[in-house]
Amino acid sequence: MEEAAAAARLGTILRHLKPWPDAAALTAFPTSAQIASVKHPMEFHYTLDNNLLTLEQRHFYDENGYLVIKKLVSDEDIERFRNEFEKICKKEIEVPGLTIMRDVAIAKSEFIPDQKLVTKLQDFQEDEELFRYCTLPEILKYVECFTGPNIMAMHTMLVNKPPDSGKKSSRHPMHQDLHYFPFRPADLIVCAWTAMEHIDRSNGCLVVLPGTHKGSLKQHDYPDWEGGVNKMYHGVRDYNKSLPRVHLFMEKGDTVFFHPLLIHGSGMNRTQGFRKAISCHYASADCHYIDVKGTSQENIEKEVVEVAKRKYGVSTPLSLKDIGVTRARLVKGERTNL
């Protein structure tokens, strides 16, 4: 039965593959539940029992590590998040703890203070309007299918991928999000990533390697890219580049939920516009923190701690766990552990 299910999944993915000039094929995958019929009963490893996801959706996530829900977030909410982002970029409001990031290719340019300088907002948990995304009932009802009823918002981002300068620096290397997180278990963590406009290959949509969530956390380092790499944009050092890649074409409000071990990245933005998406990583409040010293995550801990010390003027020892604790917010249920 396992071999038949694996063959069915592979067949489905291959049917959506299209030729691409690069060595590894890239493709669009329009829906998240176009799979072979599921036989019953079935045991699921990566979702919890719930009354929301269909058996086909649960099977798809188990096999592939991601699930796209169409038009989950309203246009009205998307525009409110966009307006708040623009206010922050124009320095009309200041947000405590917020990290504002700039593309390595334009960081020293002379643009006036606006969204052209900002490629990412990180840690917006103190901004009431942007953090409202993390508490949307329509988001949390799906998150609960992966984490259970006690839910913590652990990491927040609004990505504003800029038009590529020609140095290919708008790319994001293939990576696993768990590399950045000092808490476990991985199977009780999920990301919600919502498109704030139409997203496809031309403006740098997400690219995923289906099924890689079943593997382990890999070593991450900066890729050797000629045009430079943005700060903390680590990539998986060694993975099977012959695996099928799936491009996630998304419309405004579409939301993809994915596992923290899923290998994914994004391509260049070849358009003249900025590609926006808002996201939050959630974890079960029953998760626990770990010490990453002596592990493959030591390199990212060192970078994150250095940034935090400069930002807050702190000289005392810090760890990735300490920073994780300051970011974490309860969004549903009880704070049982994290």
Side-chain angles (χ1 to χ4, degrees), residues 260-300:
L261 284 172
L262 181 72
I263 297 177
H264 66 287
S266 63
M268 289 184 292
N269 180 0
R270 296 180 173 89
T271 71
Q272 295 305 305
F274 288 75
R275 188 274 274 162
K276 292 181 177 61
I278 188 169
S279 71
C280 179
H281 278 88
Y282 299 90
S284 167
D286 299 327
C287 288
H288 60 275
Y289 287 103
I290 64 167
D291 184 355
V292 302
K293 288 180 175 56
T295 74
S296 65
Q297 293 178 257
E298 258 190 323
N299 57 354
I300 191 62

Side-chain angles (χ1 to χ4, degrees), residues 127-257:
D127 185 278
E128 183 177 352
E129 180 58 42
L130 290 182
F131 192 71
R132 194 172 58 81
Y133 168 80
C134 307
T135 66
L136 290 174
E138 56 266 41
I139 293 282
L140 292 181
K141 70 179 182 180
Y142 279 96
V143 171
E144 187 170 347
C145 299
F146 307 98
T147 65
N150 300 318
I151 307 173
M152 302 291 295
M154 302 299 293
H155 183 246
T156 53
M157 290 193 306
L158 193 155
V159 180
N160 185 46
K161 185 187 282 283
D164 198 84
S165 65
K167 296 184 178 181
K168 302 181 180 180
S169 57
S170 66
R171 294 176 293 175
H172 198 302
M174 302 299 281
H175 64 284
Q176 297 166 299
D177 288 343
L178 193 66
H179 173 65
Y180 297 90
F181 301 146
F183 43 90
R184 301 292 190 275
D187 292 345
L188 293 179
I189 303 169
V190 70
C191 178
W193 193 99
T194 300
M196 295 178 66
E197 54 211 309
H198 172 80
I199 297 178
D200 59 24
R201 289 185 190 177
S202 66
N203 59 2
C205 63
L206 287 181
V207 184
V208 301
L209 302 187
T212 51
H213 66 299
K214 298 178 183 180
S216 59
L217 180 60
K218 297 181 178 296
Q219 179 71 42
H220 287 61
D221 292 299
Y222 282 111
D224 186 19
W225 286 353
E226 185 177 339
V229 185
N230 285 303
K231 186 71 173 175
M232 290 190 243
Y233 275 33
H234 291 190
V236 175
R237 176 186 289 176
D238 183 33
Y239 65 95
N240 184 355
K241 294 180 175 59
S242 68
L243 290 172
R245 296 186 178 195
V246 175
H247 267 185
L248 299 183
F249 287 19
M250 300 172 70
E251 300 297 334
K252 181 194 290 188
D254 291 356
T255 302
V256 58
F257 296 90

